[in-house]
């Protein structure tokens, strides 16, 4: 057992046998997470001839954690992610009732994972609702800790909502609330620091990966100080910290209003490469772009703090209770998230082997039912058979 450690600049020192905490997840997590581990173990073994290996360490969250410890997100789990820095998780049931609103949000906020990273690309053979899915090749940097997602809101009719309105009205002179008695209120904090660290990460990613542009997507025409601030702080940061790269033409920094972006991303997706955006916009954009390349079952994601090096890779879909236990769930979201994890660790050879195996399988029409049934001559494989086939293709 050995730990990944982090240099002062946030880069990783990865031993040959790093311990990686893994949350199996609820519902289909029990099927997709072992499938992912099988494929990753095979790729690492083939890529490094047995010299490297992942030491998976199961940690608890969600339903299994609640059954065993009485808590949905035990402190030991948070501590393991802090100690080992890089982890991966299956989907978690959102607890119903009071307490934690969402385990995913609690993990992101608790570990200050300020980037939600979502690469979106098309795999040949996968059916898409658009004519040229191959033109969709983007990486979304969604701010993960601020915006209306901060969870600062008060329900209509409560004393807190009334008190908040009273402050707005009496102290701040706000007279624009149309129906104050029946209004709920939410607060949208967007800071210079929070915007800058997200946009800086996006620009560095573009430069490190030879990508041509970063687009700041915002709604600053309406929300002038929050979303507008995001845009202007972004441009100022780009000019201050990346002037040479911009002037030499290595990188373009541009912006687009969110509604126009949703249209443009459908009509001319090739104009966009790296996207930096706020939390709520990023939520909508991630799902729309994922749909353009084949949908929820193959959309990977990660939550990262590039300063501490802490990163949590995850299946982006939910627990899919309607198909759990039927051996039909598509494990590609978590497998592709593991590919991102291997790349983040610098284990590019293993990552490439997995990507190539998936490309080969999809181009032959061999996939789980959600994808195969839409492919001409598609052949549906169960979750286990698909994982075995992908592992076997890795030579
Ligand atoms: P869901 O993503 O679980 O399912 C939506 C639909 O997509 C279902 O029909 C499901 O069968 C299908 N689907 C999802 N993943 C699939 C896959 N890999 N292969 C094939 N089909 C797939 O969303 P939901 O039903 O709204 O949520 C169920 C539970 O998951 C809720 O408790 C919700 O809070 C939770 N959730 C968790 C996460 C997460 O942990 N990241 C994300 C979203 C929802």
């Amino acid at each position: 057992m050995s730990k990944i450690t982090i240099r002062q600049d946030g880069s990783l020192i990865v031993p040959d046998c790093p311990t990686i905490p893994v949350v199996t997840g609820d519902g289909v997590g029990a099927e997709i997470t072992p499938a992912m581990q099988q494929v990753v173990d095979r790729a690492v073994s083939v890529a490094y001839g047995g010299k490297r290996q992942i030491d998976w360490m199961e940690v608890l969250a969600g339903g299994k954690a609640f059954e065993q410890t009485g808590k949905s997100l035990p402190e030991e789990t948070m501590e393991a992610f802090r100690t080992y820095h890089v982890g991966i998780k299956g989907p978690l049931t959102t607890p119903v009732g009071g307490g934690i609103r969402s385990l995913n949000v609690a993990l992101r906020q608790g570990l200050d994972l300020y980037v939600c990273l979502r690469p979106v690309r098309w795999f040949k053979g996968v059916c898409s609702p658009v004519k040229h899915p191959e033109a969709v090749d983007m990486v979304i940097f969604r701010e993960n800790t601020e915006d209306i997602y901060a969870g600062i809101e008060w329900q209509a009719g409560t004393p807190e909502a009334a008190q908040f309105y009273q402050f707005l009205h009496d102290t701040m002179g706000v007279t624009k609330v149309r129906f104050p008695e029946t209004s709920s209120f939410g607060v949208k904090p967007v800071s210079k620091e929070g915007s800058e660290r997200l946009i800086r990460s996006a620009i560095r990613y573009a430069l490190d990966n030879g990508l041509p542009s970063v687009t700041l997507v915002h709604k600053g025409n309406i929300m002038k100080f929050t979303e507008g601030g995001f845009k202007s702080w972004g441009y100022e940061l780009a000019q201050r910290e990346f002037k040479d790269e911009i002037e030499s033409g290595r990188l373009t920094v541009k912006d687009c209003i969110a509604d126009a972006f949703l249209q443009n991303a459908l009509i001319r997706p090739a104009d966009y490469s790296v996207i930096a955006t706020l939390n709520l916009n990023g939520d909508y954009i991630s799902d729309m772009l994922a749909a353009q390349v084949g949908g929820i079952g193959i959309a990977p994601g990660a939550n990262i703090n590039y300063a501490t090096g802490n990163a949590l890779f995850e299946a982006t879909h939910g627990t899919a209770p309607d198909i759990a236990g039927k051996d039909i769930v598509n494990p590609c979201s978590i497998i592709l998230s593991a590919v991102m994890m291997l790349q983040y660790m610098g284990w590019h050879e293993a990552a490439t082997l997995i990507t190539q195996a998936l490309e080969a399988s999809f181009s032959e029409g061999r996939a789980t039912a959600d994808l195969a049934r839409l492919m001409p001559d598609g052949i549906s494989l169960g979750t286990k058979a698909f994982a075995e086939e992908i592992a076997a293709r890795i030579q």
Side-chain angles (χ1 to χ4, degrees), residues 89 91-94 104 296-297 315-323 329-330:
K89 62 174 271 295
L92 298 172
T93 307
T94 300
N104 296 307
I296 201 163
T316 60
H317 55 78
T319 56
D322 53 336
I323 56 169
V329 60
N330 185 347

Side-chain angles (χ1 to χ4, degrees), residues 39-50:
V39 169
V40 169
D41 286 344
R42 171 78 184 158
V44 170
S45 158
V46 170
Y48 308 112

